[in-house]
């Protein structure tokens, strides 16, 4: 049995290489950029009006002659003489012969004459060429997470496709004869299956959408075949249950027969002691405990950082932050603990219902407090390691 820190180190040293893929901008959403991008154009590409108003060829008089208009998208060029103006709309090209734009609220018109209240300074309400970015400048650097703003920015520069790091395809294999589908009548001795949809939800929360769910009963051949299917078609496989040492826990023996390399099996932690992590060529396998809270704890601590790294993010396993604990807490453990906690007002409070089978506290938790093994007392205000969810 290894420590939490040893598990982190083993994972860091056994991650497969990550791959690039070219995607359309919409497909690239929530992916990590695999290349730095330079702007192919100036933005804006022309002197642009920041207001609805009038573009002015400035002179020293408060009266101008209106000779036309320029709408957004117009491509014709207007030549103005001093004292002349054109009506203009937000986003339209300001004529080269105009030095300023006066917003419509600050003028009076009389037929084709425009009357100002005061003289206008040059470049008022004119967005210069390249104000946002100039041609050849760095638009986005490699490693950027493409959110909605980044996608819109790239589209505005004319990009239609980009190279991003490919996210892994993920398979979830749920095992257990005791499981019934929610919505069916619950027989004596059965429990409703929740880990599959829980893991799917956790993956979708982090924008991992290429996920396939597999279900199998506690039978060696069926387990082996379903694992083989999942490993064949996915990059990362998560197994729920069947990894302990019971007579009907067949996952470990099935993985061994499939020639999966064991990276580690069992961690000195609570909950989540039975966790198995293995590798088959460039595939990663996480066999998670069947108890729901233990399953989700191992997902957040070990699986999610792995997926982030394999997706090109600058993530790591030691992602805990130090926060003060909101109360005294007596520690007496032979195993390290991950305790479900509520984080508010900059403090961490340990919740009740910490058993590995209980999800009710997880449903209101937004952090996990890591407490090393030993016998000691935490006092209110002591800083503890917190994994933020």
């Amino acid at each position: 049995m290894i420590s939490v820190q040893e598990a982190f180190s083993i994972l860091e040293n056994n991650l497969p290489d990550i791959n690039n893929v070219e995607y359309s901008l919409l497909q690239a959403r929530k992916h990590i950029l695999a290349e730095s991008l330079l702007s192919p154009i100036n933005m804006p590409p022309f002197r642009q009006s920041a207001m609805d108003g009038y573009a002015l060829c400035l002179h020293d008089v408060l009266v101008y002659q209106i000779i036309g208009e320029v709408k957004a998208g117009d491509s014709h060029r207007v030549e103005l003489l001093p004292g002349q103006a054109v009506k203009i709309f937000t986003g339209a090209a300001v004529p080269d012969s105009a030095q300023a734009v006066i917003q419509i609220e600050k003028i009076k018109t009389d037929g084709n004459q425009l009357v100002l209240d005061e003289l206008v300074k040059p470049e008022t309400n004119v967005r210069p060429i390249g104000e946002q970015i100039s041609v050849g400048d760095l638009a986005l650097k490699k490693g950027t997470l493409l959110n909605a703003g980044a996608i819109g920015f790239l589209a505005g520069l004319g990009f239609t496709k980009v190279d991003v790091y490919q996210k892994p395809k993920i398979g979830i294999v749920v095992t257990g004869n005791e499981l019934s589908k929610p919505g069916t009548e619950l027989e004596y001795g059965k429990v409703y299956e929740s880990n599959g949809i829980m893991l799917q939800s956790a993956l979708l929360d982090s924008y991992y959408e290429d996920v396939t769910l597999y279900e199998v009963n506690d039978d060696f051949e069926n387990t082996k075949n379903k694992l083989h299917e999942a490993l064949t078609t996915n990059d990362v496989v998560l197994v729920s249950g069947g990894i302990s040492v019971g007579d009907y826990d067949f996952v470990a023996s099935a993985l061994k027969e499939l020639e999966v390399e064991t990276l580690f099996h069992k961690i000195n932690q609570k909950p989540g002691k039975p966790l198995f992590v293995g590798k088959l060529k460039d595939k990663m396998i996480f066999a998670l405990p069947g108890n729901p809270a233990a399953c989700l704890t191992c997902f957040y601590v070990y699986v999610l950082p792995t997926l982030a790294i394999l997706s090109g993010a600058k993530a790591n396993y030691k992602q805990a932050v130090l926060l003060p604990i909101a109360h005294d807490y007596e520690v007496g453990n032979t195993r390290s603990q991950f305790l479900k906690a509520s984080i508010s007002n900059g403090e961490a409070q340990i919740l009740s219902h910490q058993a590995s089978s209980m999800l009710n506290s997880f449903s209101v938790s937004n952090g996990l407090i890591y407490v090393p093994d030993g016998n000691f007392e935490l006092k209110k205000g002591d800083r503890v390691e917190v994994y933020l969810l």
Side-chain angles (χ1 to χ4, degrees), residues 267-282:
I267 302 180
N268 190 38
Q269 72 175 51
K270 182 181 180 180
K273 174 185 172 182
L275 177 66
F276 170 98
V277 177
K279 191 175 180 181
L280 181 64
K281 297 180 181 178
D282 58 349

Side-chain angles (χ1 to χ4, degrees), residues 121-381:
K121 294 181 180 180
E123 303 308 318
T124 298
N125 296 322
V126 177
R127 298 169 183 159
I129 294 172
E131 179 187 39
Q132 183 175 182
I133 191 169
S134 297
V135 61
D137 285 352
L138 177 67
L140 291 176
K141 64 180 179 179
K142 179 180 178 180
T144 299
L145 175 64
L146 296 178
N147 59 17
I151 296 296
F153 178 49
L154 293 176
L157 296 178
F159 287 95
T160 60
K161 297 179 180 179
V162 290
D163 280 349
V164 295
Y165 292 112
Q166 191 167 26
K167 290 185 179 183
K169 293 179 63 176
I170 303 164
I172 301 171
V173 180
V174 178
T175 71
N177 288 338
E178 75 281 13
L179 303 177
S180 294
K181 288 184 179 298
T184 62
E185 185 176 350
L186 192 63
E187 298 178 14
Y188 179 76
K190 302 277 190 177
V191 295
Y192 286 126
E193 199 286 303
S194 61
N195 286 0
I197 194 170
M198 177 181 71
L199 291 172
Q200 284 179 300
S201 297
L203 290 165
L204 288 171
D205 283 347
S206 297
Y207 301 98
Y208 295 100
E209 298 171 350
D210 196 347
V211 180
T212 304
L213 182 65
Y214 307 84
E215 296 175 337
V216 63
N217 59 8
D218 291 325
D219 171 87
F220 176 77
E221 285 299 325
N222 287 342
T223 300
K224 185 183 74 170
N225 292 337
K226 194 63 68 175
L227 287 171
H228 179 264
E229 180 185 351
L231 286 166
T232 300
T233 56
N234 296 283
D235 305 302
V236 175
V237 174
L238 312 181
V239 185
S240 167
I243 194 57
S244 196
V245 292
D247 291 348
Y248 296 94
D249 291 325
F250 296 115
V251 171
S253 54
L255 290 173
K256 183 177 180 180
E257 187 156 320
L258 292 169
E259 300 183 342
V260 170
E261 175 190 358
T262 300
L263 299 182
F264 60 80
H265 186 191
K266 296 184 182 178
I267 302 180
N268 190 38
Q269 72 175 51
K270 182 181 180 180
K273 174 185 172 182
L275 177 66
F276 170 98
V277 177
K279 191 175 180 181
L280 181 64
K281 297 180 181 178
D282 58 349
K283 315 267 186 171
M284 296 290 293
I285 302 94
F286 292 83
L288 307 169
N291 275 320
C295 177
L296 194 55
T297 295
C298 290
F299 174 85
Y300 282 128
V301 175
Y302 301 101
V303 177
L304 198 54
T306 299
L307 295 176
I309 295 168
L310 295 182
S311 302
K314 292 180 180 177
N316 61 72
Y317 296 96
K318 303 173 184 68
Q319 75 256 37
V321 298
L322 293 177
L323 292 176
I325 193 168
H327 52 83
D328 296 346
Y329 185 75
E330 191 77 32
V331 179
N333 303 315
T334 58
R335 285 186 275 162
S336 301
Q337 284 186 293
F338 289 96
L339 300 166
K340 297 178 284 292
S342 173
I343 314 302
S344 64
N345 300 319
E347 290 185 320
Q349 180 171 353
I350 297 171
L351 299 170
S352 61
H353 296 88
Q354 291 290 335
S356 61
S357 59
M358 298 179 179
L359 279 178
N360 54 344
S361 55
F362 237 133
S363 66
V364 294
S365 172
N366 56 359
L368 294 169
I369 295 177
Y370 172 73
V371 178
D373 59 287
N375 295 282
F376 54 94
E377 186 177 0
L378 292 170
K379 292 289 188 181
K380 175 179 167 62

Side-chain angles (χ1 to χ4, degrees), residues 53-93:
Y54 289 85
L56 310 174
C57 185
L58 296 177
H59 65 166
D60 295 332
V61 182
L62 296 177
V63 179
Y64 286 78
Q65 180 188 9
I66 303 169
I67 66 167
E69 72 173 23
V70 180
K71 302 186 298 296
D74 282 352
S75 57
H76 67 278
R77 297 177 182 268
V78 178
E79 289 294 330
L80 300 176
L81 299 174
Q84 292 183 332
V86 288
K87 191 171 186 178
I88 197 164
F89 298 88
T90 303

